[in-house]
Amino acid sequence: MSIISKNNNSCSHCNGKADIFSCLCPTELDQIDAKRIEVYFKAGELIFKQGTPNLHFLCLTKGKVKLYIEGYNEKNLIIGIVKPIEYIFGPGIYVDNIHHYSAMAIEDSQACLVDIDLFKKLMRENSDFMEEFIRKVSLLSIINFEQFISLTQKQMPGRIADVLLYLRDKVYEANPFRTTLSRQDLADMSGMSKESAIRILREFKDEGIIQVNGNEFEILNSEHLSKISQTG
Amino acid sequence: MSIISKNNNSCSHCNGKADIFSCLCPTELDQIDAKRIEVYFKAGELIFKQGTPNLHFLCLTKGKVKLYIEGYNEKNLIIGIVKPIEYIFGPGIYVDNIHHYSAMAIEDSQACLVDIDLFKKLMRENSDFMEEFIRKVSLLSIINFEQFISLTQKQMPGRIADVLLYLRDKVYEANPFRTTLSRQDLADMSGMSKESAIRILREFKDEGIIQVNGNEFEILNSEHLSKISQTG
DNA sequence: CATGCATATTGATATATGTCATTATCTTTG
DNA sequence: CAAAGATAATGACATATATCAATATGCATG
């Protein structure tokens, strides 16, 4: 991981896409610009680990990152995949300054790190910015509830369907899509064993609902998949 | 449900226990006092329902309330039990003004309803208050993660153990404790069928880990129960 | 190109958990 | 107090899911 601060890109460059920062005036953006650190991560590299101090607010500008809770018996639960330009920040910021999940690059990635204290200061000074932030936190929480219900009340086919639809609609925004997530990752997203995930994928393939070729997936029958998602 | 506004109690009366409001100055508290509505709910009454507009921030002053997501096939997932003096507010406040879970009194309860717009206004004006609010939201999120891991990675005995420890330590703060939660509720807290919950409780009883008498529970072997919680 | 290592796949089997039917217990109500 | 309705408990059984072992496939490395 290599650190390059203050390169030719600036915060205002990201600003167009990165909604939350559009609440900040130029002076405020400059403060962030002056203190932000730009970091590159290779695919597979750990960005931060659950349990370590949470010192930065992170803005992903390139690549993709998986967020996962490290649970019991070496099992992980992937709670989301982040793509540019989106933010990575944990609930620990205002509680205990500890990361409550881990983040790992699943593609070569680039991120800006903003000092948490500066971030908090701007929040206090700019209530539009603050409200946008709360909106983001709240949205995360709502998405969380959905995954919660999916994992606790649906059977395996429904959960795999949810993962496939999530990847197509929210992560890759394409169909077919090629993923760098392993089968183990797909299992960690749907709360089941790797073998079970593979089996369900094969069933979907046999039924003509999806096409699978290594890491390339294509959803052929969207309606059927949505129905499986709903009937659990 | 009967509504009585502006009774002899005031916000400052609750203030001592209700940390978040201690950030407000008397003038601000008066604004809330002037607009708050005090409501009584009988055990079993619905306080608000998932999907309906979220117009109030709620402060529970008496009784107990269960928060639950209404999922598929009439199945509910209880995400928490609230006791006085704690707050009830959903992530919808800053997103879509919709309740994303339902709330039901499980004991005769009393709550103060504060208009969401006034609440948001105070948040904008008082950044201490705002930070306390975010702290609360974040804490909820962290607790959520824990339940998430419990439900997705532990087997039934571990999940029931978690529920029992939660009730003893966080809800009733007593041992033995008497609950108004039904077996179905306990099942909804641990993501399993009512029958399974009953079975596990009986096993714990047979092994001398707990004592059960109708709705009165006593944890006899705390260490063993914690171990079960940890080994999943 | 061969070798080794990681990942993916498959099948057989064990286990956890849900469902259904039945009985028991408690609570309310007339 | 009896009857009825809810809730709780139990057992038999079906099914979903994990585990384990074996094999296959892809991919990097020398």
Side-chain angles (χ1 to χ4, degrees):
Chain A
M1 128 180 175
S2 60
I3 298 182
I4 302 169
S5 54
K6 297 173 200 168
N7 74 344
N8 45 357
N9 290 329
S10 72
C11 284
S12 24
H13 168 260
C14 277
N15 198 12
K17 297 162 196 163
D19 44 331
I20 184 172
F21 288 113
S22 66
C23 299
L24 296 178
C25 69
T27 326
E28 290 167 330
L29 270 181
D30 284 348
Q31 290 181 58
I32 290 186
D33 233 345
K35 286 202 83 176
R36 79 193 166 87
I37 303 172
E38 211 168 305
V39 189
Y40 297 89
F41 297 93
K42 283 207 279 268
E45 283 184 336
L46 194 63
I47 295 176
F48 58 76
K49 179 155 173 89
Q50 183 175 321
T52 62
N54 186 349
L55 304 172
H56 298 96
F57 176 92
L58 215 140
C59 177
L60 188 68
T61 53
K62 268 183 206 150
K64 292 205 173 55
V65 172
K66 67 171 174 184
L67 309 180
Y68 59 101
I69 303 177
E70 305 186 34
Y72 299 86
N73 307 101
E74 309 287 302
K75 267 193 245 173
N76 296 330
L77 176 69
I78 296 180
I79 54 173
I81 309 291
V82 182
K83 63 176 193 297
I85 294 174
E86 286 174 6
Y87 314 98
I88 303 174
F89 52 90
I93 297 182
Y94 279 95
V95 178
D96 51 10
N97 281 301
I98 292 288
H99 286 293
H100 290 268
Y101 48 77
S102 297
M104 182 182 283
I106 59 167
E107 297 176 5
D108 291 347
S109 298
Q110 183 183 327
C112 283
L113 276 57
V114 179
D115 181 74
I116 277 294
D117 291 327
L118 171 59
F119 196 82
K120 283 187 183 171
K121 171 179 163 288
L122 291 174
M123 292 262 287
R124 293 178 69 88
E125 292 170 359
N126 182 330
S127 45
D128 287 334
F129 184 56
M130 178 273 287
E131 285 197 338
E132 261 313 305
F133 175 77
I134 297 184
R135 246 180 58 78
K136 283 256 174 276
V137 174
S138 300
L139 215 51
L140 267 185
S141 174
I142 291 173
I143 292 169
N144 238 251
F145 284 165
E146 281 166 20
Q147 195 190 3
F148 216 156
I149 289 295
S150 174
L151 294 194
T152 56
Q153 300 196 340
K154 292 183 185 180
Q155 304 193 168
M156 296 199 297
R159 283 182 267 156
I160 290 288
D162 283 342
V163 167
L164 291 171
L165 293 169
Y166 172 71
L167 291 176
R168 184 192 66 177
D169 298 336
K170 302 291 164 67
V171 179
Y172 297 105
E173 299 175 292
N175 191 35
F177 58 88
R178 171 170 293 279
T179 182
T180 55
L181 291 164
S182 67
R183 300 298 140 110
Q184 182 65 61
D185 285 329
L186 298 182
D188 289 345
M189 291 175 81
S190 46
M192 65 184 70
S193 71
K194 178 187 52 185
E195 291 93 333
S196 290
I198 289 169
R199 246 180 280 269
I200 304 290
L201 286 173
R202 155 153 283 280
E203 280 175 42
F204 285 0
K205 191 178 174 180
D206 290 348
E207 294 168 38
I209 302 170
I210 62 171
Q211 187 47 259
V212 185
N213 235 306
N215 286 324
E216 179 161 297
F217 292 82
E218 181 173 10
I219 296 176
L220 300 173
N221 192 336
S222 220
E223 293 73 33
H224 196 169
L225 200 61
S226 296
K227 190 158 192 177
I228 290 171
S229 158
Q230 266 154 37
T231 56
Chain B
M1 130 181 174
S2 59
I3 296 182
I4 304 169
S5 52
K6 296 172 202 169
N7 73 344
N8 46 358
N9 290 329
S10 73
C11 284
S12 25
H13 168 260
C14 278
N15 199 12
K17 296 163 197 164
D19 43 328
I20 185 172
F21 289 113
S22 66
C23 298
L24 296 177
C25 69
T27 326
E28 290 168 329
L29 270 181
D30 283 349
Q31 289 180 59
I32 291 187
D33 232 347
K35 285 202 81 177
R36 80 191 165 85
I37 303 171
E38 210 168 306
V39 189
Y40 296 90
F41 297 93
K42 283 207 279 266
E45 281 184 336
L46 195 62
I47 296 176
F48 56 77
K49 178 155 174 88
Q50 184 174 320
T52 61
N54 185 348
L55 304 173
H56 298 94
F57 175 93
L58 216 140
C59 178
L60 188 68
T61 51
K62 267 186 206 147
K64 294 208 171 50
V65 172
K66 68 172 174 183
L67 309 180
Y68 58 102
I69 302 176
E70 304 186 34
Y72 299 87
N73 307 102
E74 309 288 301
K75 266 193 247 173
N76 296 331
L77 176 69
I78 295 181
I79 55 174
I81 308 292
V82 182
K83 64 176 194 296
I85 293 175
E86 286 174 7
Y87 313 100
I88 303 174
F89 52 90
I93 297 182
Y94 279 94
V95 178
D96 51 10
N97 281 302
I98 292 287
H99 285 293
H100 290 268
Y101 48 78
S102 296
M104 182 182 283
I106 59 168
E107 296 175 4
D108 291 348
S109 298
Q110 182 182 330
C112 283
L113 277 56
V114 179
D115 181 72
I116 277 294
D117 291 326
L118 171 59
F119 197 81
K120 284 186 183 172
K121 171 179 162 290
L122 291 172
M123 292 263 287
R124 294 178 68 88
E125 292 171 359
N126 182 331
S127 44
D128 287 333
F129 184 56
M130 178 273 287
E131 285 196 339
E132 261 312 305
F133 176 77
I134 297 184
R135 246 181 58 79
K136 282 257 173 277
V137 174
S138 300
L139 215 52
L140 266 185
S141 174
I142 291 174
I143 292 169
N144 238 250
F145 284 164
E146 281 165 22
Q147 195 190 4
F148 216 157
I149 289 296
S150 173
L151 294 194
T152 57
Q153 301 195 340
K154 292 184 185 180
Q155 304 193 170
M156 297 198 298
R159 284 182 269 154
I160 290 288
D162 284 341
V163 168
L164 290 171
L165 293 170
Y166 172 71
L167 291 177
R168 184 192 64 177
D169 298 335
K170 302 292 164 67
V171 179
Y172 298 105
E173 301 175 291
N175 191 33
F177 58 86
R178 171 169 292 279
T179 182
T180 54
L181 291 164
S182 68
R183 300 298 195 251
Q184 182 65 61
D185 285 330
L186 298 181
D188 289 344
M189 291 176 81
S190 46
M192 65 185 70
S193 71
K194 178 188 50 185
E195 291 93 333
S196 291
I198 290 169
R199 246 180 282 270
I200 305 290
L201 286 173
R202 155 154 282 280
E203 279 174 43
F204 285 0
K205 190 177 174 181
D206 289 348
E207 293 167 38
I209 303 170
I210 61 171
Q211 187 48 259
V212 186
N213 235 308
N215 286 325
E216 178 160 298
F217 293 81
E218 181 171 11
I219 295 176
L220 300 173
N221 192 336
S222 220
E223 294 73 32
H224 196 169
L225 199 60
S226 297
K227 191 158 194 179
I228 290 171
S229 159
Q230 266 155 37
T231 56

